[in-house]
Amino acid sequence: MNFFLYYPFRSVSYRLSIDFQIRKVASVTKTISNHYEEAISTLNVLQTNQSSLRSTDQRGKSMGNILRYLSFLNVQLDQIDKLNIIHVAGTKGKGSTCAFTESILRQYGYKTGFFSSPHLIEARERIRINGELLSKEKFVEYFWQCYNGIHNGVQKSTAEDPTPMPYYFSFLTTMMFYVFVHEQIDVAIVEVGIGGEHDCTNVIKTPIVCGIASLGLDHVKILGNTIEQIAWQKAGIFKEGVPAVTVPQVSEAMRILNERAEEKHCSLKIASPLNSYLNYPFQISLAGDVQEINASLAIELVFHWLHAREGLSYDELKNAPLNNKILQGLATCRWSGRNEIVDTPNATYYLDGAHTIESVEQCKNWFINSLSKRTTSQRLILLFYCSNDRQPDILLQPLMKCKFDSIAFCSPITSLTTIDNTSQTDTKPGNDQWRATANIISEIGRLSLHVAAFEKLWLSTIENQTTIPSIHCFHTVSQALAWIDDSKSSKPSILVTGSLYLVGAVLKLLDKNDGNM
């Protein structure tokens, strides 16, 4: 009897203790979340000035400023050299290439740092250690160390030689170097932001190896409107005596890359295709034929890095079957928003952040191939957006072959009332109703251009069309997803493409609705 009297008392006391600990943890978590949001709000004030990106003079100055910001933080260039950097530029596939490279080197047991852009859901995706996002605690700690250090340095600069506060990307680039130095990583995989010659990341002076992913026409207002001009900019990351690797390119681009390699006094090789390895075929985690090209570049970058840092024979690595570390790295690589399929109870989403004509063509092929593996016919929906510096009529053209039942044009704004700084793109910051409304108003004209472009394409291909798609416009992604959920069709298939920002917003809301956030 006494046992039963005692045991419930002890049980209640124990539960009260657990409840207290849960409340304590929840309070700490809330505090961390508040500090993180404060840091992101401050970061979002440092937005990129698009006009400065288009000015070669200003972009050149921003590179010099990066060196000043690093000096304010007591980070020396020789410390950056010790990061054993793999530097990768390109128009499309450079992020996937970096992700494969990082995944492989992590399998070798190295402590990796990975810098990428843009982020899909939140800013801390851009700086990863051992494949994982910086924790919110670490992000906050490193952010304020960098922000306060740079701010103090800027305040002390003279009127004769002023130093401005950094733009968004410049700040995160500086913070990346600071984090990697303090985390004492073994290898840094650094993805170029835009271009190469004048990109902020090009303060790197002695990388171990450089890579150029597939080239195409993109950011033409900044980099030039010919493939030759773009290739020249991308090859700006080449360094004297540092090996460079690329993938097969169109002849005009390849000619410029070779000329730049000769000018920079560095070697340039073309990565061998995956089917040249003795144990091909093997599994790679990212879907789509284009990912084989990206994986081939990643393998070559790893070979050169292992040769330079570990003294392993490049020829022996190249001519032997790929070892288990490389195979495991290719098979387990994670890179969200590229050829990604997400199943929900109401729909199947095919997400790919393709935003050039070449990458949209690849996206179309991947989507059609993926659908062919499904046994039941489904309603097909296109959820599409492209940003101001891209032409919707060009990007939509390959997608006309998919014969969608519905076309939905949607801005990448998550929602009107629940905008979160951590989910915004670099050019659309904000967390209040007024800013959200302003963003939506600015997108209305953009969406009308999308509709006009589609109608023009439809009329030019009407003889080949068997269905007439319905056209819809949504100011926010939450509106578009609500419309899809209300669809009377049984589990439609939705292709989301045209913009990484749109893909990121969709992923954020799908994750939230699934209860994972």
Side-chain angles (χ1 to χ4, degrees), residues 433-473:
Q433 183 90 5
W434 177 87
R435 194 181 295 274
T437 304
N439 284 341
I440 288 174
I441 291 173
S442 71
E443 294 293 353
I444 292 176
R446 184 69 188 159
L447 295 179
S448 67
L449 292 177
H450 285 41
V451 174
F454 172 78
E455 289 176 344
K456 183 178 179 180
L457 286 171
W458 170 259
L459 290 174
S460 67
T461 61
I462 193 168
E463 293 181 0
N464 300 321
Q465 302 295 333
T466 56
T467 60
I468 302 176
S470 57
I471 307 299
H472 307 266
C473 281

Side-chain angles (χ1 to χ4, degrees), residues 226-331:
T226 69
I227 193 68
E228 292 91 344
Q229 290 173 322
I230 288 173
W232 189 94
Q233 292 282 350
K234 304 290 183 180
I237 67 169
F238 291 172
K239 302 294 185 298
E240 182 175 353
V242 174
V245 187
T246 188
V247 297
Q249 309 281 2
V250 297
S251 58
E252 297 87 349
M254 200 68 231
R255 176 176 59 82
I256 298 299
L257 293 182
N258 282 319
E259 289 178 1
R260 290 283 267 164
E262 185 176 352
E263 170 196 334
K264 299 274 188 176
H265 304 290
C266 68
S267 64
L268 176 63
K269 294 182 179 180
I270 297 177
S272 301
L274 291 192
N275 61 15
S276 68
Y277 294 102
L278 297 176
N279 46 348
Y280 181 86
F282 37 79
Q283 181 185 0
I284 62 174
S285 61
L286 305 183
D289 294 340
V290 69
Q291 295 298 349
E292 289 210 358
I293 297 174
N294 300 328
S296 71
L297 178 55
I299 292 169
E300 289 276 359
L301 294 173
V302 168
F303 286 169
H304 281 282
W305 193 90
L306 291 172
H307 171 68
R309 298 308 307 164
E310 301 297 334
L312 301 181
S313 169
Y314 172 83
D315 290 334
E316 289 182 10
L317 289 167
K318 178 82 173 175
N319 297 320
L322 297 179
N323 62 43
N324 288 334
K325 294 183 178 68
I326 294 175
L327 295 178
Q328 188 70 7
L330 294 174

